[in-house]
Amino acid sequence: MRRRSTSIATALAVILGSTALTALTAGPATADSAKVLPVRSVGDIVVDGTHRRVYVSDPTGGRIVVTDYAGTVKATLTGLPGVTGLALSADSGQVYAAVKDGNRIVSVETETYTRTASHPVGATPGDLEVVDGRIWFAHGTDFGSLDLSGAEPVVRLAQRGDVGFHGGFGMFLASDPAVPGVLAAGNGGDLAVYDVSADGAALRVKGRMNTGVKQLDLTPDGSQVLTSWGDPDYGYGIGAYATTDLAEQEGYPIDAYPNAVRVAPDGSVAGGSFSWYDPDVHIHRPGDPVPVREYDFPNTGDSSGADTLVDGALAWAPDASRVFAVSVNTHGTYTLRALTDPTRELPTLKVSAPAKAERAKKLTVTGRLTSKETPAAGTVLKVTRTDLETPDGKALAGVRTKADGSFSFTDTPAVGGKVTYKVSYAGDATRAPASGSDTVEVSRKATSLSLNNDGKLYAYGKDVTFTAHLGTTYKNRTVAIYADPFGSDKPKKLLKKAKVNSKGNLSAVVDMTRDTAVTAVFAGDARHAAKTVKSTAYAKAKVSTSVSGHYKTGRIGSTTYHYFRKKTDPVFTTTMNHYTGRHQRFQVQVYVQGSWYDAGSEYFALSGGKSVVRLEAPGESGVRARVRSSYVNGSSGDTVNSTTHGAWKYVNFTN
């Protein structure tokens, strides 16, 4: 423990006017699902509806990650450098993967995720499609096929015919299980449809498409090829081309940069777009340019824009219950997102209730159910009321909508406080469920609640009883008493929570080591309002000072003095209850001609609750002085106790 010092001679000089006091030296005193994928890139995505699995290829990592519909990883297939295109066999028994670095197509059994075969194809495979059992694969600006139906695999390359594919954005293929013998191919602004029902590919028709296309798909009725970039009447959109002559038809407008397109077995269209500030996935009914549903990805990165859709990373569940999408953020983190109920409109249900109402009096609740296509008049909506006595909700009579979707009903709340009315729509084949709610503050009587000891000052460590008194209430007789000691290091604490006694009282004891705010809380009941009252009580600091270095003690009059030789320095050790950064105020007074005069004061840091100060001896006899240590609220470095002065300690210097 370090010692501090001050000079009694200097103090005397101040009193006698001979010099200035030298300063004392102060010592150091945080529905749809989303799961992060363990991948470094994304090449393709395919969904196995039979086993409810999602396959995602990672070209950079050389792997295929298999998840369930919730995104939980079930298997990881490694050793596939450059793996990109994926396709599922018609019976869902095999997944085929294009492995670029090995110029091969790998087969994976979907029950056990076992690699069953690896077929060299003599070129670098990319996009994959399975048509009538044959695997079609893009390579360069051309495409070929792998036929596994015979005793030996048969590979045919360069099947594009006289179509001048030449773009550098990749070769894209498209087919649909419902359209046998048809394959669409596109690249660099060129688009073509082929008959692949026999050996090889026979060109049916060729045409043009936008050069920004990132993906193709074929509608299940075989009438259109859809492209991920088209030329709608305004803005951007999904392109649509007739398979008979590749004439451009009305597509599906999108406000941002389109980069994916996938068609469900029922013809519903999922369009994707690269968009930081707009929706990322757009669901359309066949032929309808207005989306029935849109999904906007959140921002999980560190830029102002949200996560974006990976090019071509869209896939439907075969039952159209979900669309799977892979997004990426600014950190390069990839997330598999399962977007539910994609083909059903998302209605809105607005409920409006009065802000306030009187208990036991009738009130009216109104609202409106809206959707792209308004449900028929007479649609029944479920109504639930939640209040203090029925926190889990009570079903009220259902309400029917009018032709414009509006509705209204009346209720007479018997319970005061917050009353919530929730109205729910069950949904139907084309609309998702929806609900809305609003809250009414229903009147309650004022509650009488008091708490004693406000403003009182207590000695350090005294056990003080605080008593809350609760007046008349309806049912609830429970009161909670909390103590919140001053200072950021001690949190508010529940002392007691219980029913008051027959006199309406509840008491709790506080150990008064700090100034303390004590609160009593009544939560309210069905007819009486909640109430909180506070009493702030104050606690003195614990201050004591001991003296050492004296040769005796004795009385001068009725006062006890510590006697020191005129050249011996008194040492004063002050003990005070600890608080981080606390200082004690050390005050010196000198006795001159029958009166005590202030000789100055200084603050000294406490270490472990103690401070040692050495007072320099005057070097002459006949000098009397007194010192005391104090805690001063605010000036001592904190405000957790009330100002407290220790006892004076008297010293007398002799020969």
Side-chain angles (χ1 to χ4, degrees):
M1 183 180 300
R2 296 185 62 183
R3 294 186 177 187
R4 309 290 180 262
S5 65
T6 187
S7 170
I8 193 68
T10 304
L12 272 171
V14 172
I15 301 302
L16 301 176
S18 62
T19 185
L21 175 67
T22 302
L24 302 178
T25 303
T30 303
D32 295 341
S33 64
K35 286 284 184 69
V36 171
L37 289 169
V39 299
R40 295 159 55 194
S41 63
V42 171
D44 201 1
I45 176 173
V46 70
V47 180
D48 172 8
T50 301
H51 303 98
R52 297 176 67 84
R53 293 292 184 261
V54 180
Y55 291 74
V56 179
S57 63
D58 174 8
T60 303
R63 75 189 79 183
I64 297 173
V65 174
V66 187
T67 77
D68 61 16
Y69 275 14
T72 302
V73 175
K74 295 299 182 180
T76 301
L77 310 177
T78 58
L80 303 169
V83 61
T84 52
L86 300 174
L88 185 68
S89 65
D91 63 359
S92 298
Q94 299 283 329
V95 165
Y96 303 111
V99 182
K100 283 189 172 183
D101 290 4
N103 290 350
R104 55 199 169 103
I105 293 176
V106 171
S107 300
V108 176
E109 199 272 323
T110 54
E111 284 283 353
T112 62
Y113 316 119
T114 302
R115 204 172 310 179
T116 55
S118 179
H119 305 285
V121 293
T124 302
D127 209 8
L128 295 187
E129 290 289 335
V130 176
V131 183
D132 301 337
R134 267 180 289 185
I135 306 164
W136 293 86
F137 58 92
H139 62 86
T141 56
D142 212 321
F143 63 92
S145 65
L146 171 64
D147 189 349
L148 302 176
S149 61
E152 295 292 332
V154 177
V155 176
R156 288 185 174 87
L157 300 177
Q159 298 290 298
R160 74 182 192 181
D162 68 350
V163 183
F165 296 127
H166 63 280
F169 291 105
M171 187 74 180
F172 306 106
L173 305 179
S175 67
D176 191 282
V179 188
V182 177
L183 179 72
N187 167 270
D190 290 295
L191 182 63
V193 178
Y194 296 85
D195 183 338
V196 293
S197 57
D199 291 342
L203 178 65
R204 283 187 178 180
V205 62
K206 62 181 179 179
R208 298 290 296 171
M209 67 177 186
N210 193 288
T211 58
V213 169
K214 302 289 180 68
Q215 195 168 48
L216 308 177
D217 210 352
L218 186 66
T219 59
D221 62 2
S223 66
Q224 288 184 323
V225 177
L226 302 185
T227 65
S228 66
W229 193 295
D231 295 303
D233 292 337
Y234 61 92
Y236 307 104
I238 301 300
Y241 301 85
T243 53
T244 53
D245 57 6
L246 292 182
E248 188 171 7
Q249 300 181 327
E250 183 179 8
Y252 302 90
I254 292 175
D255 287 338
Y257 304 105
N259 66 347
V261 60
R262 279 294 180 243
V263 185
D266 66 357
S268 298
V269 177
S273 57
F274 178 94
S275 46
W276 285 312
Y277 306 105
D278 291 301
D280 303 273
V281 178
H282 320 263
I283 309 299
H284 294 261
R285 291 183 179 135
D288 189 347
V290 179
V292 67
R293 192 83 178 263
E294 290 185 299
Y295 298 86
D296 198 3
F297 297 157
N299 184 356
T300 65
D302 57 6
S303 70
S304 62
D307 297 7
T308 56
L309 179 70
V310 176
D311 290 348
L314 276 183
W316 285 89
D319 61 0
S321 64
R322 294 168 178 81
V323 168
F324 295 94
V326 180
S327 65
V328 62
N329 67 13
T330 52
H331 300 299
T333 301
Y334 293 86
T335 300
L336 177 65
R337 302 184 182 278
L339 311 176
T340 57
D341 275 337
T343 60
R344 294 207 281 177
E345 297 174 21
L346 197 61
T348 58
L349 204 163
K350 184 177 180 180
V351 179
S352 180
K356 296 181 179 180
E358 290 189 41
R359 192 184 66 81
K361 289 192 175 182
K362 185 182 294 186
L363 58 81
T364 300
V365 178
T366 61
R368 186 184 298 272
L369 174 65
T370 58
S371 187
K372 183 181 176 184
E373 295 180 6
T374 303
T379 298
V380 177
L381 306 178
K382 178 183 176 182
V383 180
T384 304
R385 182 185 65 209
T386 303
D387 54 37
L388 290 172
E389 292 200 337
T390 54
D392 294 329
K394 178 181 179 180
L396 304 182
V399 61
R400 294 181 180 273
T401 61
K402 298 178 182 178
D404 62 355
S406 64
F407 60 87
S408 67
F409 61 89
T410 60
D411 185 48
T412 303
V415 174
K418 286 187 177 180
V419 178
T420 299
Y421 293 93
K422 180 179 179 181
V423 182
S424 302
Y425 168 60
D428 57 24
T430 61
R431 302 174 189 86
S435 65
S437 64
D438 201 7
T439 298
V440 184
E441 188 64 43
V442 178
S443 63
R444 291 183 287 178
K445 294 180 180 179
T447 301
S448 173
L449 180 66
S450 62
L451 184 64
N452 65 347
N453 297 331
D454 185 40
K456 293 183 179 180
L457 177 64
Y458 296 97
Y460 178 87
K462 181 175 178 59
D463 289 339
V464 178
T465 299
F466 288 80
T467 299
H469 178 76
L470 178 65
T472 301
T473 59
Y474 176 51
K475 288 184 178 180
N476 184 15
R477 300 298 292 165
T478 297
V479 171
I481 299 178
Y482 297 86
D484 189 4
F486 281 33
S488 60
D489 60 326
K490 289 192 176 182
K492 185 176 181 178
K493 179 181 178 181
L494 175 65
L495 300 178
K496 184 182 288 188
K497 183 177 182 180
K499 289 184 178 180
V500 297
N501 62 20
S502 59
K503 295 181 179 180
N505 296 330
L506 180 70
S507 297
V509 175
V510 176
D511 181 14
M512 293 298 296
T513 58
R514 296 186 182 185
D515 296 348
T516 302
V518 180
T519 53
V521 179
F522 170 67
D525 60 23
R527 297 185 183 179
H528 286 79
K531 188 168 184 179
T532 298
V533 293
K534 181 172 77 170
S535 290
T536 302
Y538 301 93
K540 293 182 178 181
K542 184 179 182 181
V543 182
S544 64
T545 303
S546 62
V547 184
S548 59
H550 53 286
Y551 67 89
K552 73 170 186 175
T553 60
R555 288 182 177 273
I556 299 177
S558 61
T559 303
T560 299
Y561 278 78
H562 295 77
Y563 283 76
F564 289 84
R565 302 300 181 187
K566 63 184 179 181
K567 292 185 178 181
T568 301
D569 296 341
V571 176
F572 300 91
T573 301
T574 298
T575 303
M576 191 177 294
N577 55 301
H578 172 73
Y579 190 80
T580 301
R582 177 167 285 188
H583 292 65
Q584 63 115 337
R585 179 176 180 260
F586 188 78
Q587 183 181 6
V588 180
Q589 290 187 349
V590 178
Y591 191 74
V592 178
Q593 297 178 353
S595 298
W596 290 102
Y597 292 90
D598 197 34
S601 61
E602 187 62 69
Y603 284 87
F604 291 91
L606 291 118
S607 176
K610 288 191 176 183
S611 169
V612 179
V613 177
R614 179 177 58 84
L615 194 63
E616 293 182 14
E620 58 183 277
S621 63
V623 177
R624 282 192 278 170
R626 66 179 183 180
V627 302
R628 71 174 177 182
S629 296
S630 302
Y631 166 81
V632 182
N633 183 279
S635 300
S636 285
D638 62 78
T639 57
V640 303
N641 285 103
S642 295
T643 296
T644 307
H645 299 290
W648 288 105
K649 297 297 180 179
Y650 293 82
V651 296
N652 186 20
F653 293 92
T654 64
N655 286 322

